[in-house]
Amino acid sequence: MPKLIIRLSLIVTTLVGVSQLAYARDVEYSSGNGEIQVWVNVGEPTEIVFEGGKIKDGFKNSNAGLALDRKDSSLVIFGKDNMNENGEALLVRLEDGRSYPMRVRKATPENPRDAQVIVGDGKKAVGGEEEVPLPYKERSYEYAPPSKVSGLMREMALVAEFGKGQIPGYQVSEKFKGQTVVSDGALLAKIDRIFIGSNLWGYVLDTTNLLDQSQKLNPASFRIDGTRAISASNWELAARPLNVEQQVAGKHNAKVYIVTRAR
């Protein structure tokens, strides 16, 4: 899965005899990772540099509490007093068509002001031209093996949600398929299948919201003896469907995955 990798290095600056903390960050952004978070102070500059090339244009709310100054591949941001408490949304588009969604927020003690943020997406090779992989080119990525907790969790999701055939090293048991494990009037959870390995077992549950309002799943509701990890395809379930369209959408359902020690 794509990751947003942030490497932090501390910069200490002294202004008018007062020592303040600011951060310089390198952000490697992949599409689908949401917004890049940028932390600013009112009236103080924060520079965002885009390694991919020059800035073509961008978009923000006309009433946004931000002042911007653009030059080539650099964007300097000043926060204003009227900044939205939820942050200001900003979209920056480069000349080559790549775009970066950003959310500019007021700095806090937990998230000090960014002095500089360098944004890249890992596509440009050092000392060479950018290579865009062909859509049909086979690429391999490093994943944890199924013998590890995270690896088994990933494999169960591939089987249950994406139709993968089997998990190496595991037997599939449907002996208890359909057996109810949670039924409290608000939530119904039934066993879909169990993956049995020498060191780990994996459980796949089908969960359904029985309420007329949405609800968030509580991982503690699914803990069993020897539980190592719990995951879900969706942690918030929509209200039970009231029409065919909602029933087909299935937003009131989710897969829950439990990894335990072998019994």
Side-chain angles (χ1 to χ4, degrees), residues 92-157:
V92 178
R93 187 166 57 184
L94 306 185
E95 289 184 348
D96 65 2
R98 279 179 280 182
S99 60
Y100 300 90
M102 317 187 82
R103 184 160 294 273
V104 182
R105 301 178 182 273
K106 283 186 178 181
T108 65
E110 294 78 20
N111 296 284
R113 177 179 71 91
D114 288 315
Q116 184 183 63
V117 179
I118 300 176
V119 179
D121 54 18
K123 294 182 179 180
K124 192 170 184 180
V126 177
E129 296 183 355
E130 181 179 328
E131 178 184 355
V132 179
L134 297 175
Y136 54 82
K137 181 179 178 181
E138 183 177 348
R139 287 171 282 169
S140 60
Y141 299 89
E142 292 294 331
Y143 294 110
S147 58
K148 302 295 184 181
V149 173
S150 61
L152 176 55
M153 194 72 77
R154 174 179 177 275
E155 291 292 323
M156 287 195 296

Side-chain angles (χ1 to χ4, degrees), residues 35-50:
E35 299 172 320
I36 299 173
Q37 303 292 318
V38 179
W39 304 92
V40 303
N41 281 341
V42 173
E44 295 184 341
T46 291
E47 182 184 32
I48 305 174
V49 179
F50 296 88

Side-chain angles (χ1 to χ4, degrees), residues 156-219:
M156 287 195 296
L158 290 175
V159 171
E161 299 179 48
F162 299 96
K164 183 174 180 177
Q166 59 184 2
I167 301 177
Y170 289 83
Q171 293 182 337
V172 181
S173 172
E174 296 188 352
K175 179 180 179 180
F176 300 100
K177 184 178 180 66
Q179 179 174 313
T180 299
V181 293
V182 177
S183 180
D184 57 7
L187 183 71
L188 178 65
K190 296 183 177 182
I191 295 176
D192 177 25
R193 67 194 85 179
I194 303 173
F195 294 91
I196 302 173
S198 57
N199 297 314
L200 298 172
W201 282 24
Y203 296 78
V204 181
L205 307 181
D206 288 319
T207 62
T208 301
N209 186 6
L210 303 179
L211 300 179
D212 292 329
Q213 62 184 27
S214 64
Q215 66 168 310
K216 292 184 178 181
L217 295 178
N218 182 0

